[in-house]
mmCIF file of all heavy atoms in Angstrom:
data_model
loop_
_atom_site.group_PDB
_atom_site.id
_atom_site.type_symbol
_atom_site.label_atom_id
_atom_site.label_comp_id
_atom_site.label_asym_id
_atom_site.label_seq_id
_atom_site.Cartn_x
_atom_site.Cartn_y
_atom_site.Cartn_z
ATOM 1 N N TYR G 31 115.156 326.107 101.388
ATOM 2 C CA TYR G 31 116.228 326.033 100.281
ATOM 3 C C TYR G 31 117.590 326.264 100.868
ATOM 4 O O TYR G 31 118.400 326.729 100.187
ATOM 5 C CB TYR G 31 115.873 327.015 99.192
ATOM 6 C CG TYR G 31 114.762 326.505 98.291
ATOM 7 C CD1 TYR G 31 113.360 326.496 98.729
ATOM 8 C CD2 TYR G 31 115.074 325.960 97.059
ATOM 9 C CE1 TYR G 31 112.450 326.036 97.892
ATOM 10 C CE2 TYR G 31 114.067 325.423 96.187
ATOM 11 C CZ TYR G 31 112.770 325.571 96.614
ATOM 12 O OH TYR G 31 111.788 325.009 95.851
ATOM 13 N N VAL G 75 107.525 329.477 112.973
ATOM 14 C CA VAL G 75 106.644 329.887 111.950
ATOM 15 C C VAL G 75 107.060 329.558 110.527
ATOM 16 O O VAL G 75 108.315 329.870 110.261
ATOM 17 C CB VAL G 75 106.167 331.396 112.048
ATOM 18 C CG1 VAL G 75 104.968 331.706 111.193
ATOM 19 C CG2 VAL G 75 105.930 331.760 113.514
ATOM 20 N N ARG G 76 106.264 329.159 109.719
ATOM 21 C CA ARG G 76 106.645 328.782 108.300
ATOM 22 C C ARG G 76 105.627 329.296 107.280
ATOM 23 O O ARG G 76 104.426 329.205 107.590
ATOM 24 C CB ARG G 76 106.768 327.277 108.160
ATOM 25 C CG ARG G 76 107.051 326.798 106.747
ATOM 26 C CD ARG G 76 106.902 325.286 106.743
ATOM 27 N NE ARG G 76 107.137 324.851 105.406
ATOM 28 C CZ ARG G 76 108.247 324.466 104.901
ATOM 29 N NH1 ARG G 76 109.325 324.517 105.671
ATOM 30 N NH2 ARG G 76 108.508 324.141 103.707
ATOM 31 N N GLY G 77 106.135 330.043 106.188
ATOM 32 C CA GLY G 77 105.192 330.414 105.197
ATOM 33 C C GLY G 77 105.223 329.223 104.136
ATOM 34 O O GLY G 77 104.749 328.168 104.355
ATOM 35 N N ALA G 78 105.903 329.565 102.969
ATOM 36 C CA ALA G 78 106.061 328.477 101.950
ATOM 37 C C ALA G 78 107.339 327.778 102.055
ATOM 38 O O ALA G 78 107.633 326.870 101.286
ATOM 39 C CB ALA G 78 105.903 329.132 100.549
ATOM 40 N N GLY G 79 108.244 328.236 103.002
ATOM 41 C CA GLY G 79 109.500 327.588 103.149
ATOM 42 C C GLY G 79 110.379 327.643 101.968
ATOM 43 O O GLY G 79 111.113 326.654 101.606
ATOM 44 N N THR G 80 110.522 328.876 101.393
ATOM 45 C CA THR G 80 111.427 329.071 100.281
ATOM 46 C C THR G 80 112.683 329.878 100.683
ATOM 47 O O THR G 80 113.376 330.344 99.830
ATOM 48 C CB THR G 80 110.818 329.769 99.031
ATOM 49 O OG1 THR G 80 110.345 331.177 99.476
ATOM 50 C CG2 THR G 80 109.501 329.131 98.612
ATOM 51 N N GLY G 81 112.807 330.135 101.990
ATOM 52 C CA GLY G 81 114.032 330.830 102.492
ATOM 53 C C GLY G 81 115.256 330.083 102.125
ATOM 54 O O GLY G 81 115.276 328.892 101.823
ATOM 55 N N ASN G 82 116.455 330.800 102.013
ATOM 56 C CA ASN G 82 117.688 330.171 101.567
ATOM 57 C C ASN G 82 118.640 329.900 102.661
ATOM 58 O O ASN G 82 119.703 329.214 102.367
ATOM 59 C CB ASN G 82 118.373 331.052 100.581
ATOM 60 C CG ASN G 82 117.649 331.209 99.225
ATOM 61 O OD1 ASN G 82 117.083 332.200 98.958
ATOM 62 N ND2 ASN G 82 117.515 330.090 98.559
ATOM 63 N N GLN G 85 115.939 329.729 107.463
ATOM 64 C CA GLN G 85 115.175 330.666 108.317
ATOM 65 C C GLN G 85 113.974 329.933 109.050
ATOM 66 O O GLN G 85 113.738 330.245 110.228
ATOM 67 C CB GLN G 85 114.497 331.831 107.550
ATOM 68 C CG GLN G 85 115.471 332.853 106.983
ATOM 69 C CD GLN G 85 115.767 332.614 105.503
ATOM 70 O OE1 GLN G 85 115.992 331.576 105.078
ATOM 71 N NE2 GLN G 85 115.552 333.683 104.671
ATOM 72 N N CYS G 86 113.335 329.053 108.358
ATOM 73 C CA CYS G 86 112.186 328.418 109.015
ATOM 74 C C CYS G 86 112.469 326.912 109.301
ATOM 75 O O CYS G 86 111.534 326.146 109.658
ATOM 76 C CB CYS G 86 110.927 328.479 108.105
ATOM 77 S SG CYS G 86 111.002 327.477 106.662
ATOM 78 N N THR G 97 101.550 328.894 107.993
ATOM 79 C CA THR G 97 100.566 329.988 107.907
ATOM 80 C C THR G 97 99.691 329.852 106.553
ATOM 81 O O THR G 97 98.833 330.767 106.293
ATOM 82 C CB THR G 97 101.175 331.329 107.852
ATOM 83 O OG1 THR G 97 102.050 331.471 106.712
ATOM 84 C CG2 THR G 97 102.046 331.581 109.038
ATOM 85 N N PRO G 115 99.023 336.713 106.749
ATOM 86 C CA PRO G 115 100.443 336.410 106.348
ATOM 87 C C PRO G 115 100.616 335.287 105.350
ATOM 88 O O PRO G 115 101.664 335.300 104.603
ATOM 89 C CB PRO G 115 101.083 336.024 107.753
ATOM 90 C CG PRO G 115 99.977 335.539 108.558
ATOM 91 C CD PRO G 115 98.802 336.358 108.179
ATOM 92 N N PRO G 137 109.921 338.818 95.659
ATOM 93 C CA PRO G 137 111.050 337.975 95.452
ATOM 94 C C PRO G 137 110.733 337.180 94.152
ATOM 95 O O PRO G 137 109.611 337.125 93.692
ATOM 96 C CB PRO G 137 111.100 337.060 96.602
ATOM 97 C CG PRO G 137 109.656 336.993 97.100
ATOM 98 C CD PRO G 137 109.014 338.275 96.791
ATOM 99 N N SER G 138 111.822 336.594 93.570
ATOM 100 C CA SER G 138 111.578 335.814 92.341
ATOM 101 C C SER G 138 110.764 334.594 92.664
ATOM 102 O O SER G 138 110.247 333.887 91.769
ATOM 103 C CB SER G 138 112.921 335.470 91.730
ATOM 104 O OG SER G 138 113.752 334.729 92.493
ATOM 105 N N THR G 139 110.559 334.218 93.930
ATOM 106 C CA THR G 139 109.705 333.173 94.307
ATOM 107 C C THR G 139 108.248 333.517 94.530
ATOM 108 O O THR G 139 107.513 332.813 95.124
ATOM 109 C CB THR G 139 110.242 332.545 95.696
ATOM 110 O OG1 THR G 139 110.414 333.580 96.559
ATOM 111 C CG2 THR G 139 111.469 331.687 95.570
ATOM 112 N N ALA G 143 105.969 331.926 97.290
ATOM 113 C CA ALA G 143 106.189 332.471 98.664
ATOM 114 C C ALA G 143 105.086 333.186 99.164
ATOM 115 O O ALA G 143 104.166 333.679 98.412
ATOM 116 C CB ALA G 143 107.448 333.381 98.544
ATOM 117 N N THR G 144 105.010 333.245 100.510
ATOM 118 C CA THR G 144 103.937 334.080 101.249
ATOM 119 C C THR G 144 104.442 335.473 101.500
ATOM 120 O O THR G 144 105.617 335.644 101.653
ATOM 121 C CB THR G 144 103.535 333.320 102.488
ATOM 122 O OG1 THR G 144 104.546 333.436 103.436
ATOM 123 C CG2 THR G 144 103.105 331.932 102.302
ATOM 124 N N GLY G 146 103.934 337.048 104.316
ATOM 125 C CA GLY G 146 104.473 336.955 105.755
ATOM 126 C C GLY G 146 105.927 336.450 105.820
ATOM 127 O O GLY G 146 106.766 336.993 106.468
ATOM 128 N N GLY G 147 106.147 335.400 105.000
ATOM 129 C CA GLY G 147 107.514 334.829 104.830
ATOM 130 C C GLY G 147 108.515 335.819 104.239
ATOM 131 O O GLY G 147 109.646 335.927 104.560
ATOM 132 N N PHE G 148 108.032 336.668 103.270
ATOM 133 C CA PHE G 148 108.822 337.569 102.607
ATOM 134 C C PHE G 148 109.322 338.601 103.646
ATOM 135 O O PHE G 148 110.511 338.985 103.660
ATOM 136 C CB PHE G 148 108.072 338.276 101.488
ATOM 137 C CG PHE G 148 108.783 339.225 100.556
ATOM 138 C CD1 PHE G 148 110.148 338.955 100.325
ATOM 139 C CD2 PHE G 148 108.171 340.270 100.032
ATOM 140 C CE1 PHE G 148 110.821 339.898 99.453
ATOM 141 C CE2 PHE G 148 108.805 341.172 99.196
ATOM 142 C CZ PHE G 148 110.197 340.977 98.833
ATOM 143 N N GLY G 150 109.201 338.305 106.994
ATOM 144 C CA GLY G 150 109.919 337.627 108.033
ATOM 145 C C GLY G 150 111.327 337.203 107.636
ATOM 146 O O GLY G 150 112.307 337.294 108.448
ATOM 147 N N GLY G 151 111.552 336.781 106.365
ATOM 148 C CA GLY G 151 112.798 336.234 106.019
ATOM 149 C C GLY G 151 113.508 336.742 104.731
ATOM 150 O O GLY G 151 114.582 336.412 104.453
ATOM 151 N N GLY G 152 112.809 337.602 104.009
ATOM 152 C CA GLY G 152 113.312 338.202 102.808
ATOM 153 C C GLY G 152 113.711 339.563 102.879
ATOM 154 O O GLY G 152 113.914 340.132 104.010
ATOM 155 N N SER G 153 114.163 340.098 101.704
ATOM 156 C CA SER G 153 114.682 341.559 101.803
ATOM 157 C C SER G 153 114.100 342.396 100.654
ATOM 158 O O SER G 153 113.935 343.631 100.901
ATOM 159 C CB SER G 153 116.070 341.515 101.825
ATOM 160 O OG SER G 153 116.585 340.802 100.826
ATOM 161 N N GLY G 154 114.028 341.910 99.550
ATOM 162 C CA GLY G 154 113.587 342.764 98.325
ATOM 163 C C GLY G 154 113.525 341.881 97.142
ATOM 164 O O GLY G 154 113.582 340.703 97.263
ATOM 165 N N TYR G 199 113.167 336.659 111.156
ATOM 166 C CA TYR G 199 113.070 335.177 111.096
ATOM 167 C C TYR G 199 112.022 334.594 112.052
ATOM 168 O O TYR G 199 112.201 333.471 112.555
ATOM 169 C CB TYR G 199 114.463 334.502 111.457
ATOM 170 C CG TYR G 199 115.533 334.781 110.424
ATOM 171 C CD1 TYR G 199 115.471 335.624 109.360
ATOM 172 C CD2 TYR G 199 116.753 334.127 110.624
ATOM 173 C CE1 TYR G 199 116.496 335.817 108.473
ATOM 174 C CE2 TYR G 199 117.818 334.332 109.844
ATOM 175 C CZ TYR G 199 117.695 335.119 108.712
ATOM 176 O OH TYR G 199 118.709 335.353 107.844
ATOM 177 N N GLY G 200 110.981 335.397 112.316
ATOM 178 C CA GLY G 200 109.923 334.774 113.187
ATOM 179 C C GLY G 200 110.418 334.478 114.647
ATOM 180 O O GLY G 200 110.062 333.497 115.203
ATOM 181 N N GLY G 203 107.637 337.004 117.671
ATOM 182 C CA GLY G 203 106.163 337.252 117.607
ATOM 183 C C GLY G 203 105.688 336.721 116.233
ATOM 184 O O GLY G 203 106.503 336.553 115.268
ATOM 185 N N ILE G 204 104.397 336.352 116.283
ATOM 186 C CA ILE G 204 103.833 335.813 115.012
ATOM 187 C C ILE G 204 103.005 336.914 114.303
ATOM 188 O O ILE G 204 102.227 337.471 114.909
ATOM 189 C CB ILE G 204 102.913 334.695 115.371
ATOM 190 C CG1 ILE G 204 103.565 333.549 116.091
ATOM 191 C CG2 ILE G 204 102.134 334.070 114.123
ATOM 192 C CD1 ILE G 204 102.653 332.560 116.835
ATOM 193 N N ILE G 205 103.396 337.193 113.000
ATOM 194 C CA ILE G 205 102.729 338.273 112.301
ATOM 195 C C ILE G 205 101.389 337.615 111.878
ATOM 196 O O ILE G 205 101.374 336.525 111.202
ATOM 197 C CB ILE G 205 103.536 338.675 111.139
ATOM 198 C CG1 ILE G 205 104.873 339.220 111.464
ATOM 199 C CG2 ILE G 205 102.722 339.690 110.230
ATOM 200 C CD1 ILE G 205 105.906 339.465 110.377
ATOM 201 N N TRP G 317 117.295 337.328 90.307
ATOM 202 C CA TRP G 317 117.479 337.232 91.803
ATOM 203 C C TRP G 317 117.961 335.810 92.154
ATOM 204 O O TRP G 317 118.887 335.257 91.410
ATOM 205 C CB TRP G 317 116.173 337.671 92.494
ATOM 206 C CG TRP G 317 115.996 339.190 92.344
ATOM 207 C CD1 TRP G 317 115.532 339.866 91.282
ATOM 208 C CD2 TRP G 317 116.635 340.214 93.172
ATOM 209 N NE1 TRP G 317 115.673 341.172 91.423
ATOM 210 C CE2 TRP G 317 116.355 341.432 92.609
ATOM 211 C CE3 TRP G 317 117.305 340.227 94.386
ATOM 212 C CZ2 TRP G 317 116.783 342.650 93.200
ATOM 213 C CZ3 TRP G 317 117.637 341.409 94.943
ATOM 214 C CH2 TRP G 317 117.354 342.670 94.412
ATOM 215 N N ASN G 318 117.451 335.163 93.140
ATOM 216 C CA ASN G 318 118.030 333.866 93.414
ATOM 217 C C ASN G 318 117.584 332.776 92.517
ATOM 218 O O ASN G 318 117.982 331.598 92.653
ATOM 219 C CB ASN G 318 117.852 333.519 94.905
ATOM 220 C CG ASN G 318 119.151 333.087 95.544
ATOM 221 O OD1 ASN G 318 120.254 332.983 94.794
ATOM 222 N ND2 ASN G 318 119.204 332.791 96.865
ATOM 223 N N HIS G 319 116.712 333.030 91.574
ATOM 224 C CA HIS G 319 116.326 331.994 90.645
ATOM 225 C C HIS G 319 117.512 331.832 89.646
ATOM 226 O O HIS G 319 117.600 330.742 89.041
ATOM 227 C CB HIS G 319 115.053 332.394 89.757
ATOM 228 C CG HIS G 319 113.884 331.731 90.420
ATOM 229 N ND1 HIS G 319 113.379 332.211 91.634
ATOM 230 C CD2 HIS G 319 113.129 330.700 90.010
ATOM 231 C CE1 HIS G 319 112.203 331.514 91.828
ATOM 232 N NE2 HIS G 319 112.089 330.553 90.949
HETATM 233 P P1 FAD M 501 109.495 331.091 104.706
HETATM 234 O O1 FAD M 501 110.799 330.577 104.116
HETATM 235 O O2 FAD M 501 108.475 330.071 105.111
HETATM 236 O O3 FAD M 501 109.841 331.919 106.020
HETATM 237 C C1 FAD M 501 110.857 332.896 106.010
HETATM 238 C C2 FAD M 501 111.011 333.380 107.497
HETATM 239 O O4 FAD M 501 109.938 334.157 107.786
HETATM 240 C C3 FAD M 501 111.157 332.315 108.490
HETATM 241 O O5 FAD M 501 112.183 332.718 109.456
HETATM 242 C C4 FAD M 501 109.901 332.287 109.163
HETATM 243 O O6 FAD M 501 109.941 331.857 110.457
HETATM 244 C C5 FAD M 501 109.336 333.780 108.987
HETATM 245 N N1 FAD M 501 107.985 333.902 108.986
HETATM 246 C C6 FAD M 501 107.090 333.371 108.033
HETATM 247 N N2 FAD M 501 105.805 333.740 108.409
HETATM 248 C C7 FAD M 501 105.870 334.507 109.499
HETATM 249 C C8 FAD M 501 104.921 335.127 110.207
HETATM 250 N N3 FAD M 501 103.597 335.092 109.862
HETATM 251 N N4 FAD M 501 105.228 335.821 111.386
HETATM 252 C C9 FAD M 501 106.548 335.851 111.746
HETATM 253 N N5 FAD M 501 107.592 335.243 111.010
HETATM 254 C C10 FAD M 501 107.170 334.633 109.884
HETATM 255 N N6 FAD M 501 114.217 336.470 98.838
HETATM 256 C C11 FAD M 501 114.225 337.802 98.529
HETATM 257 O O7 FAD M 501 114.078 338.650 99.439
HETATM 258 N N7 FAD M 501 114.272 338.186 97.207
HETATM 259 C C12 FAD M 501 114.335 337.345 96.133
HETATM 260 O O8 FAD M 501 114.362 337.793 94.986
HETATM 261 C C13 FAD M 501 114.409 336.032 96.484
HETATM 262 N N8 FAD M 501 114.585 334.981 95.544
HETATM 263 C C14 FAD M 501 114.616 333.671 95.805
HETATM 264 C C15 FAD M 501 114.698 332.730 94.803
HETATM 265 C C16 FAD M 501 114.823 331.343 95.025
HETATM 266 C C17 FAD M 501 114.965 330.372 93.978
HETATM 267 C C18 FAD M 501 114.702 330.902 96.404
HETATM 268 C C19 FAD M 501 114.735 329.536 96.768
HETATM 269 C C20 FAD M 501 114.563 331.895 97.459
HETATM 270 C C21 FAD M 501 114.563 333.254 97.134
HETATM 271 N N9 FAD M 501 114.413 334.229 98.173
HETATM 272 C C22 FAD M 501 114.366 335.586 97.859
HETATM 273 C C23 FAD M 501 114.161 333.821 99.545
HETATM 274 C C24 FAD M 501 112.555 333.570 99.839
HETATM 275 O O9 FAD M 501 112.057 332.882 98.717
HETATM 276 C C25 FAD M 501 111.745 334.832 100.029
HETATM 277 O O10 FAD M 501 112.406 335.649 100.982
HETATM 278 C C26 FAD M 501 110.405 334.488 100.294
HETATM 279 O O11 FAD M 501 109.581 335.658 100.416
HETATM 280 C C27 FAD M 501 110.203 333.770 101.607
HETATM 281 O O12 FAD M 501 108.755 333.477 101.807
HETATM 282 P P2 FAD M 501 108.231 332.149 102.343
HETATM 283 O O13 FAD M 501 106.699 332.273 102.457
HETATM 284 O O14 FAD M 501 108.720 330.975 101.620
HETATM 285 O O15 FAD M 501 108.911 332.253 103.824
#
Side-chain angles (χ1 to χ4, degrees):
Y31 282 76
V75 189
R76 175 188 177 91
T80 65
N82 293 109
Q85 289 103 310
C86 70
T97 65
S138 58
T139 46
T144 66
F148 186 33
S153 52
Y199 292 5
I204 303 167
I205 300 168
W317 289 84
N318 227 358
H319 265 74

